[in-house]
Amino acid sequence: MGIFEEIHNRKNTRSVKWDMLEPVFQTDDVLPMWVADMDFKAPQAVNDALRERAEHGIYGYTIIDENIKGSITSWIEKRHQWTVKQDWLSFSPGVVASLHMAIQAFTQPNDKVLIQTPVYTPFYKVIEGHDRQIVKNKLQKEDNYYKIDFADMDEKLKDAKAFLLCSPHNPVGRVWTKEELQKMAELCLKHDVLILSDEIHADLIYPDQKHTAIASLSEDIASQTITFMSPSKTFNLAGLQASYIITSDQEKRSALDEKLGEQGHHMLNTMGSTALYAAYQHGEEWLEELKNVLKENRDYATKMLEGKTDGVLQVTHSEGTYLLWIDCSKLNMDKTELKTFMIENAKVGLNAGAEYGLEGEAFMRMNLACPKKTVEEGVDRIIQAVNSL
């Protein structure tokens, strides 16, 4: 049995995904395919490194040395053809925490911050939680594919202070093209809007796609951009809390580091830094195999959900992430009815599309980062529920 076929029992491991079913869905009788972590073990090299570190038995304050920084810059150079200097790096427990810090460091209360909706749920709280105003550049859905309304974006950026970019985009699965990124960046330069680019899914793209870091497009764009990345989604390390920030502009980097310092974010935890280094040094072969598994899961789920429901369900074409964005509008249910239907009729625990904004109310988000048997079970449950209506 391959490493991506084995079914692991994650119950009673303090797993959010598996042990929070009752609080989230009001029942534990659902198959969890929601929160964005994987049901796969991390690469063996990561587990070996953690085991070796644990055997040492001392977990004192841990530095982020040149080897760790070098593993990051080498990974980015090789995987994304972007040359990043080690002194551009800052560190924090997670991308969302970093976004909170950046909003506080570079905007003021009542400043407007642009997002492209529907979008990753924490983006809303990152802005509104600090008394900033959300400005929406709504993505345009055409033939199960999302595009950017650049004319609207140009107009909205006139009054904005920052732009939160989700690249690749969660939940709609777009991997923005180099041309799209160039257009977005040029508009931000035109209006002097800071780009805060969440690129946590950068490595999780399908074989026919290419991720481009927006800051890699030019020095001018880089100086207007702060990039947020992590191995946590790539290698299923979210619980180890290790992420980094790339800022080429020294003044911005100093301002961000000062804000991080105010919150006590000076270092990574011992196990997080150990896992990060091992993953970037030895995880590439594992990642390539994972991407093939995810593609197979995506293609299977898309074919079955659309074909076996006679097109009642429509699956947005996904170019990246391990998340599937399912259009359920033909079920003619409101957001509450749709959520209840998936829980009580299909008995599958998905993320309700309404969590990602008004534009997502007729959608559900499915996590495909699990063994094929789990995908088959979840898809079959949904198909049977839809066809029983």
Side-chain angles (χ1 to χ4, degrees):
M1 180 179 291
I3 59 174
F4 296 107
E5 297 176 85
E6 185 177 355
I7 304 250
H8 301 282
N9 182 4
R10 297 186 62 192
K11 291 183 178 180
N12 302 313
T13 62
R14 300 188 177 93
S15 162
V16 170
K17 186 176 183 180
W18 286 84
D19 291 328
M20 288 289 289
L21 297 181
E22 187 70 44
V24 174
F25 299 103
Q26 288 73 57
T27 176
D28 58 6
D29 187 23
V30 291
L31 183 66
M33 303 182 76
W34 60 301
V35 67
D37 68 17
M38 306 189 209
D39 291 332
F40 303 130
K41 283 187 176 181
Q44 190 59 44
V46 171
N47 291 323
D48 288 344
L50 291 171
R51 190 175 296 109
E52 180 181 348
R53 187 67 186 81
E55 287 175 354
H56 183 264
I58 301 173
Y59 313 109
Y61 297 118
T62 304
I63 63 171
I64 303 169
D65 62 12
E66 299 301 308
N67 288 333
I68 291 176
K69 293 178 182 177
S71 73
I72 294 170
T73 56
S74 294
W75 180 268
I76 294 171
E77 178 78 50
K78 183 174 184 180
R79 301 294 300 191
H80 306 298
Q81 293 74 56
W82 179 23
T83 301
V84 171
K85 296 180 180 179
Q86 291 187 22
D87 62 7
W88 294 357
L89 298 173
S90 305
F91 296 85
S92 91
V95 165
V96 173
S98 299
L99 290 172
H100 278 283
M101 298 299 103
I103 287 291
Q104 293 177 74
F106 300 110
T107 67
Q108 299 297 321
N110 296 317
D111 279 349
K112 295 180 179 179
V113 180
L114 185 138
I115 57 176
Q116 294 171 314
T117 55
V119 74
Y120 181 49
T121 308
F123 275 28
Y124 295 91
K125 190 169 184 179
V126 160
I127 299 169
E128 294 178 324
H130 300 290
D131 298 318
R132 277 62 168 173
Q133 298 182 44
I134 290 174
V135 179
K136 293 184 178 183
N137 172 226
K138 298 178 183 178
L139 297 175
Q140 305 300 302
K141 184 170 179 283
E142 300 175 13
D143 299 323
N144 291 324
Y145 192 71
Y146 282 85
K147 298 180 180 179
I148 298 167
D149 183 340
F150 286 104
D152 178 74
M153 186 177 185
D154 188 9
E155 183 66 27
K156 299 286 180 60
L157 284 174
K158 289 179 180 179
D159 300 318
K161 186 71 173 182
F163 165 41
L164 259 62
L165 170 64
C166 197
S167 177
H169 193 281
N170 172 13
V172 309
R174 275 301 316 276
V175 174
W176 305 118
T177 66
K178 192 172 183 179
E179 292 72 25
E180 287 171 320
L181 292 165
Q182 186 73 40
K183 287 182 181 180
M184 288 190 280
E186 287 174 356
L187 291 176
C188 289
L189 290 174
K190 172 184 174 182
H191 297 291
D192 192 25
V193 171
L194 179 67
I195 302 168
L196 303 175
S197 187
D198 174 358
E199 302 188 20
I200 197 169
H201 290 100
D203 297 313
L204 295 170
I205 55 174
Y206 292 109
D208 57 342
Q209 296 296 319
K210 171 76 173 68
H211 173 77
T212 300
I214 193 168
S216 71
L217 295 175
S218 74
E219 288 188 11
D220 286 344
I221 295 169
S223 68
Q224 194 76 1
T225 302
I226 299 173
T227 305
F228 306 85
M229 303 181 88
S230 171
S232 61
K233 288 289 185 285
T234 308
F235 298 104
N236 205 25
L237 308 176
L240 292 174
Q241 298 186 313
S243 80
Y244 53 91
I245 309 159
I246 304 169
T247 317
S248 63
D249 183 86
Q250 183 176 348
E251 186 176 338
K252 292 184 178 68
R253 188 168 63 254
S254 296
L256 184 56
D257 285 343
E258 181 179 349
K259 184 59 66 174
L260 287 166
E262 288 177 4
Q263 302 299 319
H265 296 316
H266 299 287
M267 63 187 73
L268 298 181
N269 77 71
T270 302
M271 291 308 200
S273 57
T274 298
L276 181 154
Y277 180 74
Y280 281 160
Q281 289 292 99
H282 307 292
E284 197 162 21
E285 182 178 347
W286 181 94
L287 175 59
E288 289 306 309
E289 188 174 348
L290 169 71
K291 288 167 65 176
N292 289 328
V293 169
L294 295 179
K295 181 180 185 299
E296 183 179 338
N297 286 351
R298 177 200 65 177
D299 293 347
Y300 173 84
T302 300
K303 178 182 177 181
M304 296 298 289
L305 288 171
E306 293 186 341
K308 296 295 184 179
T309 64
D310 293 327
V312 172
L313 300 180
Q314 294 290 316
V315 179
T316 303
H317 178 62
S318 178
E319 299 169 328
T321 81
Y322 48 69
L323 307 163
L324 209 62
W325 190 236
I326 306 168
D327 186 343
C328 306
S329 56
K330 290 183 181 179
L331 293 175
N332 295 315
M333 298 178 183
D334 64 29
K335 62 180 181 180
T336 303
E337 292 170 334
L338 179 58
K339 182 178 180 180
T340 300
F341 171 78
M342 289 297 176
I343 295 170
E344 296 184 358
N345 296 60
K347 297 188 183 301
V348 176
L350 307 177
N351 286 106
E355 297 173 7
Y356 306 89
L358 294 173
E359 301 80 9
E361 288 189 351
F363 292 77
M364 299 297 288
R365 193 190 77 167
M366 173 183 276
N367 181 344
L368 297 173
C370 47
K372 181 71 175 296
K373 287 184 178 179
T374 305
V375 174
E376 290 173 346
E377 175 67 20
V379 166
D380 186 59
R381 290 185 184 197
I382 294 171
I383 291 169
Q384 288 193 39
V386 169
N387 290 340
S388 295
L389 291 173

